[in-house]
Amino acid sequence: MLYESAARADEMLRLNVEDLYSQDKRGRITAKGGATEWIHWQSGTAQLLPRLIVRRTRGPLFLTNRKAPAGTPTLDVCPETGRARLSYRRAEEIFEENTRLLANPLASSDDIEDLDGWTLHQLRHTALTHDAEDGTSTPMLLTRSRHTSVRSLERYARPSVDAVARHVAGTSSGRGSTLHRGSEIGDRGHVRRSSPRVRLRGVEPAHPGLPCAPRRKLACEAGPAPGPECRGGACSESPVVTDSGSGMP
């Protein structure tokens, strides 16, 4: 649920059953500063939530396995089971212990006591990083993470080395064809205006006074401003045709 929603662990642990809108796959949370905001999840969480809630209709969503000790605030006690809300410290311990082999796939189960597992915060970090690698826009990342500035988002959304390699491999062919098309445009001819004459490369000379051919007309119109020689598409002077090899008229 933390990974799918990219929510902060402490916000998630403050969720109550009545804060869930299961049909819409979203929940209402109390964010930093006391503001009410929304988190969204996917099908995996939607399938598991009923098993977690069972028949409860109110109270803390995540509970310990024990009855709440005396003096526990009422808001942190399930009114239907009497169990206490799961604390951040205990949730972190459970998650870290159960992910030690996942975080160290080459390690042996005999060494599990000496291994370190993942942290709850890494789920949020990983979710935002994967979103960034998948091309999620910056406005969407800001909304999903509920950050207020791009600077605060930067430390989360850092694509991995493998993601950068996939990106380069996936875009290399497209970039190459774009560069080639640009090169072709440059090779077809350079139209520039110098003096009152229209200089073209690689076109047949025109007779004075005849209407410009399409390419000549485009060349005439491409100048900073039509000169007196260009009257409504009729050139009073022949364009100068330069040889592509020597550059001489």
Side-chain angles (χ1 to χ4, degrees):
M1 190 173 185
L2 278 175
Y3 173 78
E4 290 187 357
S5 65
R8 299 178 178 90
D10 57 340
E11 297 171 344
M12 185 71 70
L13 292 170
R14 288 198 297 268
L15 273 174
N16 292 328
V17 176
E18 57 267 33
D19 295 327
L20 306 181
Y21 293 75
S22 299
Q23 292 182 345
D24 298 327
K25 297 180 183 177
R26 64 177 181 174
R28 182 181 59 222
I29 63 171
T30 302
K32 289 181 177 180
T36 298
E37 296 180 350
W38 296 89
I39 59 172
H40 305 264
W41 53 80
Q42 300 169 343
S43 299
T45 297
Q47 294 173 3
L48 293 174
L49 274 178
R51 298 170 56 182
L52 177 66
I53 298 172
V54 191
R55 290 181 294 273
R56 293 183 291 137
T57 59
R58 56 198 178 108
L61 175 61
F62 297 98
L63 301 172
T64 63
N65 293 327
R66 303 176 181 177
K67 294 289 185 180
T72 302
T74 304
L75 293 177
D76 293 331
V77 178
C78 175
E80 301 177 15
T81 65
R83 292 155 59 190
R85 185 187 301 274
L86 186 65
S87 68
Y88 189 105
R89 180 189 61 80
R90 183 54 184 153
E92 181 91 313
E93 289 176 352
I94 294 173
F95 185 69
E96 191 274 332
E97 290 173 2
N98 285 275
T99 57
R100 289 178 181 177
L101 290 180
L102 291 174
N104 303 273
L106 300 180
S108 169
S109 56
D110 296 334
D111 302 324
I112 193 169
E113 295 299 328
D114 300 323
L115 302 175
D116 293 325
W118 291 325
T119 66
L120 292 176
H121 184 70
Q122 283 179 286
L123 292 172
R124 171 176 167 85
H125 187 124
T126 302
L128 295 175
T129 299
H130 287 173
D131 281 351
E133 292 175 351
D134 291 340
T136 303
S137 66
T138 299
M140 180 58 71
L141 283 173
L142 286 170
T143 302
R144 180 159 156 76
S145 65
R146 289 172 287 110
H147 283 112
T148 57
S149 68
V150 176
R151 182 177 295 275
S152 58
L153 179 65
E154 286 177 350
R155 61 193 178 103
Y156 293 95
R158 292 184 177 179
S160 64
V161 174
D162 291 339
V164 174
R166 289 194 301 269
H167 171 76
V168 173
T171 59
S172 59
S173 58
R175 294 300 177 109
S177 60
T178 300
L179 180 60
H180 182 64
R181 288 195 297 271
S183 300
E184 287 180 349
I185 292 173
D187 293 337
R188 286 173 185 164
H190 172 63
V191 178
R192 61 189 177 91
R193 189 176 180 85
S194 60
S195 74
R197 299 169 65 86
V198 180
R199 301 181 64 87
L200 299 175
R201 185 186 300 274
V203 298
E204 297 297 329
H207 294 288
L210 293 181
C212 294
R215 287 183 63 184
R216 296 191 188 92
K217 185 174 182 180
L218 176 62
C220 294
E221 294 175 349
E229 72 281 9
C230 193
R231 302 182 181 88
C235 293
S236 59
E237 295 189 35
S238 299
V240 175
V241 183
T242 59
D243 180 77
S244 58
S246 64
M248 296 295 292

mmCIF file of all heavy atoms in Angstrom, residues 37-56:
data_model
loop_
_atom_site.group_PDB
_atom_site.id
_atom_site.type_symbol
_atom_site.label_atom_id
_atom_site.label_comp_id
_atom_site.label_asym_id
_atom_site.label_seq_id
_atom_site.Cartn_x
_atom_site.Cartn_y
_atom_site.Cartn_z
ATOM 1 N N GLU A 37 -5.636 15.549 2.798
ATOM 2 C CA GLU A 37 -5.253 15.247 1.432
ATOM 3 C C GLU A 37 -5.658 13.818 1.103
ATOM 4 O O GLU A 37 -6.191 13.098 1.946
ATOM 5 C CB GLU A 37 -3.747 15.456 1.235
ATOM 6 C CG GLU A 37 -3.312 16.907 1.428
ATOM 7 C CD GLU A 37 -1.827 17.099 1.239
ATOM 8 O OE1 GLU A 37 -1.099 16.090 1.152
ATOM 9 O OE2 GLU A 37 -1.381 18.262 1.176
ATOM 10 N N TRP A 38 -5.379 13.408 -0.140
ATOM 11 C CA TRP A 38 -5.818 12.098 -0.612
ATOM 12 C C TRP A 38 -4.641 11.289 -1.131
ATOM 13 O O TRP A 38 -3.725 11.821 -1.744
ATOM 14 C CB TRP A 38 -6.854 12.255 -1.730
ATOM 15 C CG TRP A 38 -8.113 12.925 -1.278
ATOM 16 C CD1 TRP A 38 -8.374 14.262 -1.275
ATOM 17 C CD2 TRP A 38 -9.266 12.293 -0.741
ATOM 18 N NE1 TRP A 38 -9.626 14.507 -0.768
ATOM 19 C CE2 TRP A 38 -10.209 13.313 -0.432
ATOM 20 C CE3 TRP A 38 -9.621 10.962 -0.490
ATOM 21 C CZ2 TRP A 38 -11.455 13.038 0.105
ATOM 22 C CZ3 TRP A 38 -10.865 10.683 0.055
ATOM 23 C CH2 TRP A 38 -11.768 11.706 0.345
ATOM 24 N N ILE A 39 -4.713 9.994 -0.870
ATOM 25 C CA ILE A 39 -3.764 9.056 -1.455
ATOM 26 C C ILE A 39 -4.555 8.066 -2.309
ATOM 27 O O ILE A 39 -5.744 7.839 -2.076
ATOM 28 C CB ILE A 39 -2.950 8.302 -0.387
ATOM 29 C CG1 ILE A 39 -3.879 7.512 0.546
ATOM 30 C CG2 ILE A 39 -2.084 9.254 0.398
ATOM 31 C CD1 ILE A 39 -3.146 6.591 1.499
ATOM 32 N N HIS A 40 -3.877 7.506 -3.298
ATOM 33 C CA HIS A 40 -4.545 6.587 -4.232
ATOM 34 C C HIS A 40 -3.728 5.307 -4.328
ATOM 35 O O HIS A 40 -2.503 5.328 -4.263
ATOM 36 C CB HIS A 40 -4.667 7.251 -5.609
ATOM 37 C CG HIS A 40 -5.361 8.581 -5.582
ATOM 38 N ND1 HIS A 40 -6.701 8.738 -5.859
ATOM 39 C CD2 HIS A 40 -4.892 9.820 -5.300
ATOM 40 C CE1 HIS A 40 -7.030 10.012 -5.755
ATOM 41 N NE2 HIS A 40 -5.945 10.682 -5.419
ATOM 42 N N TRP A 41 -4.416 4.185 -4.504
ATOM 43 C CA TRP A 41 -3.724 2.914 -4.624
ATOM 44 C C TRP A 41 -4.240 2.135 -5.820
ATOM 45 O O TRP A 41 -5.152 2.575 -6.526
ATOM 46 C CB TRP A 41 -3.840 2.101 -3.346
ATOM 47 C CG TRP A 41 -5.259 1.896 -2.857
ATOM 48 C CD1 TRP A 41 -6.173 0.979 -3.321
ATOM 49 C CD2 TRP A 41 -5.914 2.619 -1.811
ATOM 50 N NE1 TRP A 41 -7.345 1.088 -2.632
ATOM 51 C CE2 TRP A 41 -7.231 2.086 -1.687
ATOM 52 C CE3 TRP A 41 -5.532 3.641 -0.955
ATOM 53 C CZ2 TRP A 41 -8.146 2.544 -0.754
ATOM 54 C CZ3 TRP A 41 -6.450 4.117 -0.027
ATOM 55 C CH2 TRP A 41 -7.737 3.567 0.074
ATOM 56 N N GLN A 42 -3.642 0.954 -6.039
ATOM 57 C CA GLN A 42 -3.937 0.152 -7.213
ATOM 58 C C GLN A 42 -4.626 -1.155 -6.819
ATOM 59 O O GLN A 42 -5.059 -1.321 -5.673
ATOM 60 C CB GLN A 42 -2.645 -0.096 -7.995
ATOM 61 C CG GLN A 42 -1.981 1.190 -8.476
ATOM 62 C CD GLN A 42 -0.579 0.967 -9.006
ATOM 63 O OE1 GLN A 42 0.048 -0.061 -8.751
ATOM 64 N NE2 GLN A 42 -0.068 1.941 -9.761
ATOM 65 N N SER A 43 -4.703 -2.064 -7.762
ATOM 66 C CA SER A 43 -5.480 -3.294 -7.566
ATOM 67 C C SER A 43 -4.909 -4.190 -6.473
ATOM 68 O O SER A 43 -5.659 -4.871 -5.771
ATOM 69 C CB SER A 43 -5.561 -4.076 -8.882
ATOM 70 O OG SER A 43 -6.196 -3.315 -9.874
ATOM 71 N N GLY A 44 -3.576 -4.218 -6.342
ATOM 72 C CA GLY A 44 -2.980 -5.065 -5.320
ATOM 73 C C GLY A 44 -3.473 -4.720 -3.926
ATOM 74 O O GLY A 44 -3.868 -5.600 -3.145
ATOM 75 N N THR A 45 -3.458 -3.428 -3.606
ATOM 76 C CA THR A 45 -3.956 -2.973 -2.301
ATOM 77 C C THR A 45 -5.454 -3.212 -2.193
ATOM 78 O O THR A 45 -5.953 -3.621 -1.128
ATOM 79 C CB THR A 45 -3.647 -1.483 -2.109
ATOM 80 O OG1 THR A 45 -2.227 -1.308 -2.092
ATOM 81 C CG2 THR A 45 -4.230 -0.958 -0.810
ATOM 82 N N ALA A 46 -6.183 -2.969 -3.275
ATOM 83 C CA ALA A 46 -7.641 -3.141 -3.246
ATOM 84 C C ALA A 46 -8.031 -4.580 -2.922
ATOM 85 O O ALA A 46 -9.045 -4.827 -2.262
ATOM 86 C CB ALA A 46 -8.234 -2.719 -4.587
ATOM 87 N N GLN A 47 -7.213 -5.529 -3.358
ATOM 88 C CA GLN A 47 -7.512 -6.933 -3.093
ATOM 89 C C GLN A 47 -7.177 -7.343 -1.656
ATOM 90 O O GLN A 47 -7.817 -8.235 -1.087
ATOM 91 C CB GLN A 47 -6.751 -7.809 -4.075
ATOM 92 C CG GLN A 47 -7.202 -7.645 -5.527
ATOM 93 C CD GLN A 47 -6.317 -8.395 -6.497
ATOM 94 O OE1 GLN A 47 -5.382 -9.098 -6.092
ATOM 95 N NE2 GLN A 47 -6.592 -8.255 -7.784
ATOM 96 N N LEU A 48 -6.169 -6.685 -1.067
ATOM 97 C CA LEU A 48 -5.728 -7.077 0.273
ATOM 98 C C LEU A 48 -6.461 -6.359 1.401
ATOM 99 O O LEU A 48 -6.544 -6.881 2.524
ATOM 100 C CB LEU A 48 -4.226 -6.823 0.409
ATOM 101 C CG LEU A 48 -3.311 -7.705 -0.450
ATOM 102 C CD1 LEU A 48 -1.867 -7.258 -0.327
ATOM 103 C CD2 LEU A 48 -3.454 -9.168 -0.058
ATOM 104 N N LEU A 49 -6.973 -5.170 1.147
ATOM 105 C CA LEU A 49 -7.621 -4.400 2.206
ATOM 106 C C LEU A 49 -8.765 -5.138 2.892
ATOM 107 O O LEU A 49 -8.870 -5.092 4.129
ATOM 108 C CB LEU A 49 -8.106 -3.053 1.652
ATOM 109 C CG LEU A 49 -7.080 -1.917 1.642
ATOM 110 C CD1 LEU A 49 -7.682 -0.665 1.014
ATOM 111 C CD2 LEU A 49 -6.573 -1.615 3.047
ATOM 112 N N PRO A 50 -9.644 -5.815 2.161
ATOM 113 C CA PRO A 50 -10.735 -6.525 2.861
ATOM 114 C C PRO A 50 -10.235 -7.559 3.858
ATOM 115 O O PRO A 50 -10.872 -7.780 4.904
ATOM 116 C CB PRO A 50 -11.502 -7.184 1.706
ATOM 117 C CG PRO A 50 -11.227 -6.313 0.523
ATOM 118 C CD PRO A 50 -9.808 -5.870 0.697
ATOM 119 N N ARG A 51 -9.101 -8.194 3.569
ATOM 120 C CA ARG A 51 -8.538 -9.169 4.503
ATOM 121 C C ARG A 51 -8.007 -8.490 5.749
ATOM 122 O O ARG A 51 -7.977 -9.088 6.839
ATOM 123 C CB ARG A 51 -7.433 -9.957 3.811
ATOM 124 C CG ARG A 51 -7.918 -10.770 2.620
ATOM 125 C CD ARG A 51 -6.772 -11.338 1.815
ATOM 126 N NE ARG A 51 -5.862 -12.141 2.626
ATOM 127 C CZ ARG A 51 -4.754 -12.716 2.157
ATOM 128 N NH1 ARG A 51 -4.422 -12.538 0.871
ATOM 129 N NH2 ARG A 51 -3.978 -13.426 2.946
ATOM 130 N N LEU A 52 -7.551 -7.257 5.602
ATOM 131 C CA LEU A 52 -7.035 -6.510 6.749
ATOM 132 C C LEU A 52 -8.173 -5.959 7.609
ATOM 133 O O LEU A 52 -8.103 -5.990 8.844
ATOM 134 C CB LEU A 52 -6.155 -5.359 6.259
ATOM 135 C CG LEU A 52 -5.590 -4.424 7.323
ATOM 136 C CD1 LEU A 52 -4.603 -5.165 8.231
ATOM 137 C CD2 LEU A 52 -4.900 -3.221 6.671
ATOM 138 N N ILE A 53 -9.199 -5.477 6.957
ATOM 139 C CA ILE A 53 -10.298 -4.825 7.680
ATOM 140 C C ILE A 53 -11.241 -5.854 8.304
ATOM 141 O O ILE A 53 -11.767 -5.649 9.406
ATOM 142 C CB ILE A 53 -11.087 -3.911 6.719
ATOM 143 C CG1 ILE A 53 -10.169 -2.815 6.179
ATOM 144 C CG2 ILE A 53 -12.296 -3.304 7.421
ATOM 145 C CD1 ILE A 53 -10.786 -1.989 5.077
ATOM 146 N N VAL A 54 -11.451 -6.965 7.603
ATOM 147 C CA VAL A 54 -12.430 -7.991 7.993
ATOM 148 C C VAL A 54 -13.811 -7.335 8.093
ATOM 149 O O VAL A 54 -14.329 -6.862 7.104
ATOM 150 C CB VAL A 54 -12.021 -8.695 9.306
ATOM 151 C CG1 VAL A 54 -12.890 -9.919 9.524
ATOM 152 C CG2 VAL A 54 -10.544 -9.104 9.270
ATOM 153 N N ARG A 55 -14.375 -7.256 9.289
ATOM 154 C CA ARG A 55 -15.709 -6.655 9.420
ATOM 155 C C ARG A 55 -15.687 -5.336 10.189
ATOM 156 O O ARG A 55 -16.727 -4.831 10.608
ATOM 157 C CB ARG A 55 -16.655 -7.641 10.127
ATOM 158 C CG ARG A 55 -17.002 -8.858 9.273
ATOM 159 C CD ARG A 55 -17.952 -9.790 10.004
ATOM 160 N NE ARG A 55 -17.305 -10.384 11.164
ATOM 161 C CZ ARG A 55 -16.582 -11.504 11.120
ATOM 162 N NH1 ARG A 55 -16.384 -12.112 9.956
ATOM 163 N NH2 ARG A 55 -16.035 -12.012 12.205
ATOM 164 N N ARG A 56 -14.531 -4.779 10.381
ATOM 165 C CA ARG A 56 -14.445 -3.521 11.122
ATOM 166 C C ARG A 56 -14.992 -2.362 10.288
ATOM 167 O O ARG A 56 -14.834 -2.320 9.077
ATOM 168 C CB ARG A 56 -12.995 -3.226 11.521
ATOM 169 C CG ARG A 56 -12.428 -4.216 12.532
ATOM 170 C CD ARG A 56 -11.026 -3.838 12.958
ATOM 171 N NE ARG A 56 -10.054 -3.995 11.868
ATOM 172 C CZ ARG A 56 -9.110 -3.113 11.586
ATOM 173 N NH1 ARG A 56 -9.015 -1.979 12.280
ATOM 174 N NH2 ARG A 56 -8.262 -3.336 10.600
#
